[in-house]
Amino acid sequence: MKPMRKILIIYSLSVGMAFGCKPAELSNTCDAKTKEYFQASVIRYLSGDRSPSCLPSFDFQDLWGVYQGSVTTTVNAITSYNDQIIIGGDFRYVGPSTGNVVYLETANGKLLPNRYCPYLKVVGSTGIAISDGNGGFYIGGEFFAVQGVEKFSIAHILPGCQLDRNFTVLNDNNKSIYTLLLAGDFLYAGGYYTDDNSGYLVRVNRYTGALDTSFTPNPNTLVSDLETDGDSLYVCGDFTNIGGYAKTGLVKFSLSTGLVIPSFTTTINGGSCLDLYYGTNANGSPVIYAVGDLTTPTFSNAISLFPDGTLTTWNPNPNAKVNSIQQYNNTIYLGGDFTTINGGTTARHLVSVNNGTGSAISTNFAMNTAEPVATLQIIENTLYLTGEFTSVKSVPRNYAAALSLPDESVTAFNPAYDGVLANPGSGIVSAGNGVVLFTSSRSTINVTSRNHFAVLDEVTGTPIEGTPNFDFPIKTLHRVNNRLFVGGSFTSIAGQSRNRFAILDLPNYQISPINTVLSGSPDIRTITSDESQIYVGGFGLANVNSQVRNGVFALNSNDFSLSGWNPNLGSGSSGESILVVNDSVFIGGSFSEINGVANYNNFQAVDKINGTRRDIPSPNNDPVSLVYNLTLAGTKIYMGGFFNSISGIGTFNNTAVYDLISQTYVQPNPVSADNMVNHVAAYPDGNILIGGSFTVLNGIPNNYSLGVFNTNTNTLSPWKASINDVVYTSMNKNGKYYLGGAFTIAHKRSNGGLVRSSLNE
């Protein structure tokens, strides 16, 4: 039975019992004072019902983000149509912005919905998770926040998918956690400090996170894994000195004293130990299996030892690094970088071997040569694996899969990550009731292919089907009634040739047969309109429908033919932003002439008929460099770009405000930024959203990438968006702001280049 259905049944039964299982009286369902109203509202919430009703409506939106493996992705443009959010940019996938710790259904690898299991939105990477024994989990990695709360590298997750805010491990320098182990009232954590590569091994109170200062092993470098036999702690890593002893790769501590057991000596003489498994040999005797790229005088990469440290004869002899090891009955599974086993038998990256001799059992899992396995985890009768593979036994599986044991068939579990999972890979733990917890370095799961263009349902935040793929990025979107105008660097849409500019017919997003032909390889950056024309600008634009158009052009709105509007910004120019104000069209960009006349630089108004220059502003007062964006607020034009002064006036750092009434620049400048401003947008509530690559606004530091200036108060909002990279675009719809850009973090939460905001989170 699916977990969602289980939850619905449980809630329904609970409500039924609360009201004595009496059927709802339909005549009272819409009366907010009745129990039937409450019962129907609960069911409406659990089922995600969106139909018109007298019952309350619920916001189910979990806005998806954009992804492309390890490549930087961007949302460059946002617009809307009816109840849909339309985005364009540079991306290959869309997926839920979950962060890197997720709860998945074991039957199919599908994510539990946010309204049942709130996304943890972990910022950073998470390599390990373990059960707390009470329905919750401990997670470790190199992260900085969980559910918007600062938590550094170790956190406790309570049952119900909620952060334990009372458990706090101090941020004692940047650290990366590779391994966790719970023993008694202590949580042991191992890894390394990222600032100097020194080793990290501590134990903290399992309930509070308070450090136990009496445990001081001080490894000299990486700790990779921890195991226990109940009395002792086995520590595996890259260290050569730990607990005051010269120990290479593997050491044994007493749990009761916290001290090294010196009698445990191994024959490891080099390399790194990456993973441990406390299991049994063919005789049922306890042994410690250790794998990595370690070496002994006789064995390499995979060994087993008795609890006293004596090396056994078990020898699978893989030819390269082993990242992970698990045991199922008398079968040992190895995953890693190796391509052969037992001295030459082909076994690419995943193999099962005998627990007595190490001889191969199953070798043909059809892994490609260059696709290592990072993590193995057996839960009951299922072997979960993650890594760099894209198929297992010829079944497509992107970077995570599951095999049924003992027959080793590929199950329907298919999380569909957007990129590779490299060592230390993942933490994989049973969450019970058909659910498994996965950690990784990825910030999404269950991705859907969408090349540079996607349409999201405004209510749910998920992508609709049937939208076209673009071969290269989109830079701008503009909708007029049932037409969507698209510009960028693309050359093909759904297999049809369109060079950098296209029209899609709504509501089905079909490519219009109207084809405006742009010669060469321009990059279209801006599209806007008025009642009679569609205005288009870009970089490298020189020829449209076989007529000269440098930097900008316009189409007639009635038939989309090329109009006579031709400001002619000159060869090599760039029209980055176009703003229509009454009977004038203001152009911002990178240019030095208008109508073939020099000394008109980067910002100028022209008429709407022919594109004739108007000397507004005066050519003596031009921004000295690139203007990226223009927006109108009342009678003032706010501009953003990459300039440091207005000629003839003085310093203006990357922003300026031009007053249309006085035809002068506002002084003192109400907004300034320490770096490039890529986006400015004015909204009816008086807010001007300012996006870019700056970190300081109006001299105030820590204003990363987004600021809000209010024209009603002429003040900069003190609110900090906690966004980590450039904001390129925004939109306001139904009282919410949509922000798009190159960011992966917003509001101290993991977000893939797209976030919905009230500007106060």
Side-chain angles (χ1 to χ4, degrees), residues 318-321 336-341 344-349 368-370:
N319 68 326
K321 182 175 65 170
D337 295 9
F338 55 86
T339 57
T340 67
I341 201 85
T345 301
T346 298
R348 295 192 180 101
H349 310 309
N368 291 337
T369 301

Side-chain angles (χ1 to χ4, degrees), residues 110-292:
K110 296 299 183 184
L111 178 70
L112 294 189
N114 188 38
R115 68 180 184 272
Y116 299 122
C117 181
Y119 299 158
L120 296 179
K121 295 270 188 180
V122 177
V123 175
S125 62
T126 308
I128 185 65
I130 63 170
S131 172
D132 69 358
N134 296 307
F137 305 90
Y138 294 96
I139 59 173
E142 191 177 343
F143 53 78
F144 315 100
V146 181
Q147 290 182 335
V149 179
E150 286 191 349
K151 293 291 179 182
F152 297 95
S153 300
I154 305 172
H156 183 216
I157 310 304
L158 297 168
C161 317
Q162 294 288 346
L163 173 69
D164 181 355
R165 294 172 181 248
N166 295 319
F167 178 90
T168 300
V169 175
L170 294 178
N171 182 28
D172 50 352
N173 295 321
N174 293 328
K175 54 186 177 290
S176 183
I177 302 302
Y178 273 50
T179 181
L180 297 169
L181 185 139
L182 197 60
D185 288 337
F186 289 118
L187 175 69
Y188 292 81
Y192 74 105
Y193 286 106
T194 58
D195 52 354
D196 62 4
N197 291 319
S198 61
Y200 183 81
L201 179 58
V202 301
R203 67 183 182 190
V204 300
N205 183 282
R206 64 173 296 175
Y207 304 106
T208 67
L211 181 68
D212 178 6
T213 57
S214 69
F215 182 66
T216 57
N218 296 323
N220 63 329
T221 188
L222 173 69
V223 170
S224 300
D225 197 24
L226 302 171
E227 271 287 2
T228 183
D229 58 11
D231 296 317
S232 304
L233 176 71
Y234 297 88
V235 181
C236 162
D238 196 33
F239 50 81
T240 56
N241 193 288
I242 185 170
Y245 290 85
K247 297 284 186 180
T248 299
L250 184 60
V251 67
K252 184 177 180 180
F253 282 81
S254 166
L255 285 175
S256 59
T257 67
L259 300 176
V260 168
I261 299 174
S263 61
F264 180 87
T265 58
T266 72
T267 55
I268 297 174
N269 55 17
S272 300
C273 176
L274 296 176
D275 195 24
L276 296 175
Y277 187 86
Y278 184 76
T280 56
N281 63 12
N283 297 320
S285 300
V287 292
I288 297 293
Y289 293 97
V291 297

